[in-house]
Amino acid sequence: MLEIIVSQSQQQEHTQEHILFNTIMTGILRDKAGKPVGVNIRQNGVPSSIEASIIVGADGRYSAVRKHSGMIPDIRKHGYDLLWARIPAPVGWEPAVRMASMDGQQLALFSQFGGYVQIGWNIPQGSYSKLRELPFTPFVQKLVTAFPCLADSVKAHIQTWSDFVLLSVESSYSETWTQDNIVLIGDAAHTMTPTGAFGLNAALEDADTLAELLTRMAQDQFASMKPLQQLQSLRGDKVKQQLARQIEMEVSFQQRYASFLN
């Protein structure tokens, strides 16, 4: 997905972004007074730094920007982990989010750009190691039972446990999204679970709102950082409602979707 975004961006005229690959953030660059003035990085193993008027933490649930700035989120576990897998969509697949209940656990399909289907399969928290000791074929057959149209694609692309990626599921909300000239958006500010597929759209709404704020701030050459605080004021209530809605959806899931049991 990142490659697609970069490719599309580079095709635009008058683009001003500068993208660094093989680069990780190692800390906040600060002046003698302790004010953030950029980030420390390591590119291809070589330490360096980047100066910046504003630092945007858009680096996900394990945000390095959040960690190094000391903004600590309130984290909530949901009692389950997630198995991710991506397969080509079958012929005639209509883009949609599709749900089923499998042995009491949520099974979700998300249409992805490029003709793919993302599979999200909830399993009890901490159960994966024991699950891998069981035969693989009966387990994956449950997916085909729930969604027969995926049979050929599942057979070709999900053949071992290694074809799944294990994710620890949690939600979080940072009580503050800003600190000086540092601002968090998306999962860095509010991690959501896969339930309802709210996370991506929430992050995009954050980015769109922040872009408007930055455009106004640029007119004054970023003389004041106070407008950054408006992001949480504008977006915080809706995000909290979505987080609460996810919990409601998880509780009522069994009553709302067809159940496929052993």
Side-chain angles (χ1 to χ4, degrees):
M1 182 60 72
L2 178 59
E3 293 178 355
I4 295 172
I5 295 174
V6 171
S7 175
Q8 292 292 323
S9 177
Q10 291 176 340
Q11 294 176 23
Q12 304 298 314
E13 295 183 3
H14 311 301
T15 181
Q16 297 183 29
E17 79 270 7
H18 183 60
I19 301 172
L20 301 179
F21 289 100
N22 302 316
T23 303
I24 62 172
M25 175 189 174
T26 59
I28 303 292
L29 179 66
R30 300 180 183 273
D31 62 16
K32 293 182 179 180
K35 177 184 176 181
V37 293
V39 294
N40 296 315
I41 64 170
R42 182 178 296 112
Q43 184 179 21
N44 294 316
V46 180
S48 185
S49 62
I50 301 173
E51 295 185 358
S53 298
I54 294 176
I55 302 166
V56 180
D59 49 344
R61 65 174 58 198
Y62 303 117
S63 171
V65 174
R66 185 185 64 208
K67 173 184 175 182
H68 290 293
S69 62
M71 289 185 274
I72 301 174
D74 179 22
I75 297 175
R76 174 173 182 161
K77 292 289 186 179
H78 289 247
Y80 63 92
D81 296 325
L82 188 73
L83 296 181
W84 273 125
R86 191 180 75 157
I87 60 176
V91 176
W93 177 267
E94 293 293 333
V97 176
R98 305 184 186 185
M99 302 282 190
S101 177
M102 184 64 63
D103 291 342
Q105 300 298 321
Q106 178 178 323
L107 179 61
L109 307 181
F110 307 95
S111 297
Q112 281 199 338
F113 180 83
Y116 288 93
V117 174
Q118 183 78 48
I119 300 166
W121 194 334
N122 292 4
I123 60 173
Q125 183 176 329
S127 68
Y128 187 54
S129 59
K130 291 186 177 180
L131 189 61
R132 285 184 63 114
E133 297 174 358
L134 301 176
F136 180 75
T137 300
F139 176 81
V140 79
Q141 181 60 38
K142 298 175 185 179
L143 173 59
V144 176
T145 300
F147 298 101
C149 64
L150 298 182
D152 291 341
S153 193
V154 168
K155 182 178 179 180
H157 299 278
I158 305 182
Q159 301 175 350
T160 70
W161 291 110
S162 298
D163 292 321
F164 284 108
V165 175
L166 177 68
L167 296 178
S168 176
V169 174
E170 61 186 33
S171 62
S172 69
Y173 186 88
S174 295
E175 287 305 318
T176 176
W177 300 5
T178 58
Q179 182 187 95
D180 298 318
N181 58 340
I182 302 172
V183 58
L184 306 177
I185 65 173
D187 276 4
H190 47 75
T191 301
M192 296 189 179
T193 74
T195 301
F198 296 149
L200 177 58
N201 286 338
L204 291 174
E205 289 185 52
D206 287 354
D208 184 61
T209 303
L210 178 60
E212 294 182 4
L213 295 173
L214 293 178
T215 299
R216 294 203 299 266
M217 293 171 67
Q219 296 174 358
D220 297 326
Q221 280 72 51
F222 303 103
S224 172
M225 294 295 126
K226 288 185 178 180
L228 289 180
Q229 299 174 7
Q230 296 178 28
L231 176 65
Q232 189 169 3
S233 299
L234 293 169
R235 293 280 302 129
D237 286 346
K238 183 174 181 180
V239 167
K240 287 181 177 180
Q241 290 172 6
Q242 290 174 316
L243 287 167
R245 176 60 178 151
Q246 286 191 317
I247 295 173
E248 292 177 1
M249 292 174 68
E250 290 170 3
V251 171
S252 63
F253 187 84
Q254 291 294 86
Q255 287 76 43
R256 293 185 297 113
Y257 295 99
S259 183
F260 298 86
L261 304 176
N262 286 331

